[in-house]
């Protein structure tokens, strides 16, 4: 098999795995009947979280954080075991973010053509490539201390979050805006054609409703920065930031597949360095860094004299005029220790503030089935899958609602959307078990089983129309989905602003029946701040966060 054939196989592999990843994100969407037959469960037709479960970094970090490994994450061995023998094949052949960085970096431009020797030098190994290893040790140490922060920079979680909460909603908004703009001209044939193309892409890229996400700007800016930096530094993310790449680099130290150099036949053209994606110094006369190589095979394909060749058991010994290749990770032991200590210190630093438990934000409402907050933060990787699949656009990435430790983890914002009572999709798509996969019975309850509660509703009588203004309104009671209803009405005779006696039905809430779904807050006709609102108190996942403690001796500071 020629190098050209192998290189083409790598390109096909990149396209295939990127396509699968993107397709799974698209299918992380509500595509089933909202009102299934009696007793029916709403189940997604595809295992949409499986791509995230092939991630060995997430598997290791959750193992350190919880002492257990979620069963789905055992798929990560499919990536980890071959890496030990082949090297970082995942980065060059499979990783969707690595593929995207590769494509962006290889877009032709006049600026890159003029860069000449500067581009060659930028493709050599640099000291900043060590940073990804220190990032890895910081995150693993934090995980060992009980806080899973790896999802912030893990490439699969990062890309899934960016596509699901930024890219696809932006495409939807742009398509709607463009269609409306074209139709505004009133040109019949053009409007029909525009509607045809809109209807064509709708089943492929657009959800059944336009979604809007909280903190989308911060996620979008970070994603844009990663992509743009590839035009300055080839695969900047992969070389200097990616903690998964660092982990795979460590495991590939003793790979039996590597680069062999034939010094006598080399003409010193340095085309291998010019096209190198990993900045691992593939040229003859330089020390090849095996842990940095992503097996793009560009160097062998670009070599006009055949001086470079990837093979099993290559000769890595030093030869005349050619320094020995190295499998050693180029990092400082002192900085590794500092990084580890820094990661360990992050957790008590995060939790010394009042955002964790002591003065937790009352609006921090987690998805149904979420683990207790401490365990939730040990598992959530901020992939955004639960937000993407939510049919009512109720789940959003946090910013500071749960402090720095919980940034971009899911939160329910009832003013934007409420938790559909018959939906359990967020638990189905969670790749790490941070959100348990509830059955319909476990969520809504029955005569013997209590429902899963995510909070409790309260009435702001100073804003409620029947209470504050003597204006008839029963919207919250009508929208309440529990049976019997958690919101009940009492007819009272009150004096309105004109001094007249009127009868209005004033809403009251039974906290024993309320599940905190947020339907009442979502439907409340009072604009800006609703007259009925949801807080996390009463949630099933916490013993202390209750309206009234039923048992003596419960410390509110403990779960």
């Amino acid at each position: 098999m020629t190098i050209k054939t192998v290189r083409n196989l790598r390109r096909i592999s990149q396209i295939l795995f990127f396509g699968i990843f993107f397709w799974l994100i698209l299918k992380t969407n509500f595509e089933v009947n909202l009102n299934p037959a009696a007793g029916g469960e709403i189940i997604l037709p595809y295992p949409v979280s499986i791509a995230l479960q092939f991630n060995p970094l997430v598997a290791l970090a959750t193992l350190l954080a919880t002492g257990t490994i979620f069963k789905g994450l055992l798929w990560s061995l499919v990536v980890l075991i071959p890496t030990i023998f082949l090297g970082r094949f995942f980065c060059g052949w499979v990783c969707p973010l690595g593929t995207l960085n590769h494509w962006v970096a290889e877009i032709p431009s006049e600026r890159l053509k003029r860069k000449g020797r500067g581009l060659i030098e930028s493709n050599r190994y640099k000291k900043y490539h060590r940073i990804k290893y220190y990032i890895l040790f910081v995150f693993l140490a934090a995980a060992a201390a009980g806080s899973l922060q790896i999802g912030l920079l893990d490439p699969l979680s990062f890309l899934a979050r960016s596509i699901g909460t930024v890219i696809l909603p932006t495409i939807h908004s742009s398509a709607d805006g463009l269609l409306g703009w074209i139709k505004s001209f009133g040109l019949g044939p053009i409007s029909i054609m525009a509607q045809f193309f809109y209807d064509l892409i709708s089943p492929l890229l657009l959800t059944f409703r336009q979604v809007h996400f909280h903190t989308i700007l911060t996620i979008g800016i970070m994603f844009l920065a990663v992509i743009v930096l590839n035009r300055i530094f080839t695969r900047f993310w992969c070389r200097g930031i990616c903690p998964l790449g660092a982990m795979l680099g460590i495991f590939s130290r003793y790979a039996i597949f590597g680069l062999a150099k034939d010094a006598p036949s080399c003409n010193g053209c340095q085309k291998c360095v010019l096209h190198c994606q990993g900045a691992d110094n593939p040229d003859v006369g330089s020390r090849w860094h095996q842990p940095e190589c992503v097996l793009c095979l560009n160097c062998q394909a670009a070599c006009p004299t055949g001086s470079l060749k990837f093979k099993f058991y290559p000769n890595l010994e030093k030869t005349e005029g050619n320094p020995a290749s190295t499998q050693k990770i180029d990092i400082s032991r002192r900085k590794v220790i500092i990084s580890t200590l820094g990661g360990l210190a992050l957790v008590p630093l995060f939790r010394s503030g009042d955002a964790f438990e002591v003065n937790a934000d009352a609006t921090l409402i987690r998805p149904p089935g979420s683990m207790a907050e401490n365990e939730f933060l040990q598992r959530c990787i901020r992939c955004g899958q639960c937000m993407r699949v939510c049919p009512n656009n109720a789940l959003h990435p946090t910013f500071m609602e749960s402090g720095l430790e919980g940034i971009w983890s899911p939160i329910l914002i009832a003013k934007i959307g409420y938790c559909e009572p018959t939906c359990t999709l967020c638990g189905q798509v969670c790749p790490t078990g941070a959100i348990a996969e509830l059955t319909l019975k476990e969520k809504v309850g029955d005569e013997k089983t209590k429902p899963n509660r995510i909070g409790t509703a309260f009435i702001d009588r100073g804003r409620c129309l029947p209470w504050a203004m003597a204006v008839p309104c029963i919207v919250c009671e009508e929208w309440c989905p529990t049976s019997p209803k958690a919101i009940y009405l009492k007819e009272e005779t009150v004096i309105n602003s004109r001094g007249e006696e009127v009868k209005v039905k004033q809403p009251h809430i039974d906290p024993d029946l309320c599940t905190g779904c947020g339907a009442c807050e979502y439907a409340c006709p009072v604009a800006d701040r609703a007259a009925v609102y949801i807080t996390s108190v009463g949630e099933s996942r916490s013993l202390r966060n209750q309206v009234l403690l039923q048992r003596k001796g419960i410390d509110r500071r403990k779960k």
Side-chain angles (χ1 to χ4, degrees):
M1 186 180 296
T2 65
I3 180 60
K4 185 176 180 180
T5 302
V6 175
R7 195 181 184 193
N8 287 336
L9 286 176
R10 188 257 299 164
R11 289 170 173 167
I12 292 171
S13 174
Q14 287 180 306
I15 294 171
L16 175 64
F17 283 105
F18 184 86
I20 291 174
F21 187 85
F22 191 77
W23 181 79
L24 288 173
I25 298 296
L26 289 176
K27 290 302 177 181
T28 308
N29 188 25
F30 191 83
E31 295 183 348
V32 289
N33 185 5
L34 192 62
N35 295 306
E41 298 278 351
I42 298 178
I43 300 175
L44 287 178
Y46 307 102
V48 294
S49 62
I50 193 169
L52 296 169
Q53 292 174 339
F54 274 87
N55 192 332
L57 178 57
V58 169
L60 176 60
T62 53
L63 177 62
L64 291 174
T66 66
T68 61
I69 186 167
F70 188 62
K71 60 182 180 180
L73 294 175
L74 291 174
W75 284 109
S76 63
L77 295 176
V78 175
V79 173
L80 194 59
I81 293 175
T83 298
I84 298 173
F85 299 98
L86 300 177
R88 288 173 58 184
F89 79 96
F90 179 84
C91 302
W93 290 63
V94 179
C95 179
L97 184 58
T99 295
L100 186 60
N101 288 331
H102 190 145
W103 289 341
V104 172
E106 287 199 333
I107 296 175
S109 72
E110 289 300 320
R111 183 186 65 81
L112 291 180
K113 289 179 181 178
R114 292 195 300 267
K115 204 169 181 181
R117 183 161 294 276
L119 180 58
I120 292 177
E121 288 304 313
S122 72
N123 274 351
R124 290 197 177 278
Y125 179 77
K126 298 291 190 300
K127 289 185 177 181
Y128 79 82
H129 297 173
R130 306 171 183 175
I131 295 174
K132 61 180 176 289
Y133 295 101
Y134 303 134
I135 291 174
L136 172 67
F137 288 117
V138 167
F139 282 145
L140 291 183
S147 181
L148 192 67
Q149 301 298 314
I150 201 71
L152 298 177
L153 295 181
D154 169 68
L156 301 185
S157 304
F158 174 79
L159 186 59
R161 179 172 65 243
S162 300
I163 292 175
T165 64
V166 178
I167 297 174
L168 291 177
T170 301
I171 290 174
H172 197 156
S173 178
S174 300
D176 286 346
L178 182 60
L179 178 65
W181 179 72
I182 293 175
K183 286 186 173 182
S184 68
F185 290 100
L187 301 176
I190 296 179
S191 297
I192 293 173
M193 184 66 69
Q195 186 66 54
F196 170 78
F197 282 109
Y198 182 88
D199 294 339
L200 187 65
I201 68 169
S202 289
L204 301 175
L205 296 176
L206 309 184
T207 53
F208 68 93
R209 57 174 288 185
Q210 171 69 59
V211 294
H212 307 272
F213 287 107
H214 187 50
T215 71
I216 186 176
L217 188 60
T218 57
I219 298 172
I221 289 175
M222 184 174 177
F223 176 76
L224 186 62
V226 169
I227 299 303
V228 170
L229 281 171
N230 285 291
R231 303 301 294 160
I232 304 173
F233 307 100
T234 302
R235 289 185 79 145
F236 172 79
W237 171 277
C238 308
R239 295 178 182 181
I241 303 296
C242 182
L244 176 56
M247 177 183 172
L248 296 179
I250 292 173
F251 275 87
S252 67
R253 280 191 62 185
Y254 302 107
I256 60 176
F257 187 73
L259 180 65
K261 302 179 182 181
D262 181 26
S265 63
C266 177
N267 64 6
C269 68
Q270 295 191 333
K271 288 183 178 179
C272 53
V273 182
L274 183 66
H275 296 282
C276 179
Q277 289 283 324
D280 48 82
N281 292 352
D283 57 320
V284 173
S286 299
R287 186 182 300 277
W288 181 58
H289 292 261
Q290 180 160 346
E292 302 300 319
C293 179
V294 297
L295 297 178
C296 68
L297 305 181
N298 284 353
C299 57
Q300 184 175 343
C303 182
T305 61
S307 303
L308 304 177
K309 187 176 182 180
F310 279 90
K311 62 181 183 179
F312 287 98
Y313 301 105
N315 181 12
L316 301 179
E317 297 299 323
K318 180 178 180 180
T319 59
E320 184 178 353
N322 185 36
S325 299
T326 180
Q327 294 173 314
K328 183 180 179 181
I329 306 296
D330 184 21
I331 52 178
S332 162
R333 183 179 300 177
R334 179 183 299 177
K335 291 180 180 178
V336 168
I337 295 174
I338 292 173
S339 300
T340 303
L341 293 177
L344 293 173
L346 277 179
V347 180
L349 177 63
F350 285 153
R351 297 182 181 180
S352 63
D354 65 348
F356 184 77
E357 295 187 358
V358 178
N359 186 29
D361 194 323
T363 63
L364 185 63
I365 303 170
R366 296 298 191 187
S370 294
M371 300 293 165
E373 188 67 9
N374 189 38
E375 188 174 353
F376 182 83
L377 294 176
Q378 292 176 346
R379 290 183 176 273
C380 179
I381 58 172
R382 286 81 160 167
C383 62
Q385 291 286 84
C386 55
M387 309 169 203
R388 166 76 182 165
V389 80
C390 182
N392 292 335
N393 192 202
L395 298 178
H396 299 259
T398 62
F399 188 58
M400 295 300 294
E401 292 88 345
S402 57
L404 283 172
E405 186 178 8
I407 190 170
W408 294 338
S409 57
I411 183 176
L412 185 141
I413 302 179
K415 190 65 179 177
I416 300 175
Y418 64 96
C419 182
E420 171 59 42
T422 59
C423 174
T424 59
L425 295 179
C426 52
Q428 293 179 35
V429 301
C430 182
T432 61
I435 306 172
E437 188 173 345
L438 301 176
T439 63
L440 184 60
K441 178 181 177 181
E442 288 172 332
K443 182 175 182 182
V444 302
D446 56 20
E447 295 83 2
K448 298 180 180 179
T449 307
K450 291 184 178 181
N452 184 274
R453 295 187 172 94
I454 57 176
T456 306
F458 294 89
I459 301 289
D460 184 346
R461 296 186 179 184
R463 297 179 64 82
C464 180
L465 298 179
W467 282 99
M469 305 176 189
V471 174
C473 178
I474 59 171
V475 172
C476 57
E477 189 270 345
E478 291 177 326
W479 273 73
C480 181
T482 63
S483 180
K485 288 182 178 290
I487 298 179
Y488 59 95
L489 303 172
K490 285 186 177 180
E491 189 173 70
E492 301 287 349
T493 301
V494 297
I495 306 297
N496 64 16
S497 59
R498 295 184 295 275
E500 304 167 340
E501 286 190 355
V502 294
K503 290 186 177 182
V504 293
K505 294 180 178 180
Q506 296 174 335
H508 298 260
I509 294 173
D510 185 344
D512 291 331
L513 297 176
C514 182
T515 62
C517 69
C520 52
E521 181 176 348
Y522 173 78
C524 181
V526 179
D528 60 42
R529 184 161 55 88
V532 56
Y533 59 94
I534 312 299
T535 74
S536 63
V537 71
E539 58 185 351
S540 298
R541 67 189 187 125
S542 173
L543 289 176
R544 70 171 188 84
N545 189 21
Q546 302 297 319
V547 178
L548 295 172
L549 295 181
Q550 301 298 320
R551 295 184 297 166
K552 295 182 179 180
I554 294 181
D555 185 352
R556 283 189 177 271
R557 294 178 181 269
K558 296 180 180 179
K559 291 293 181 185

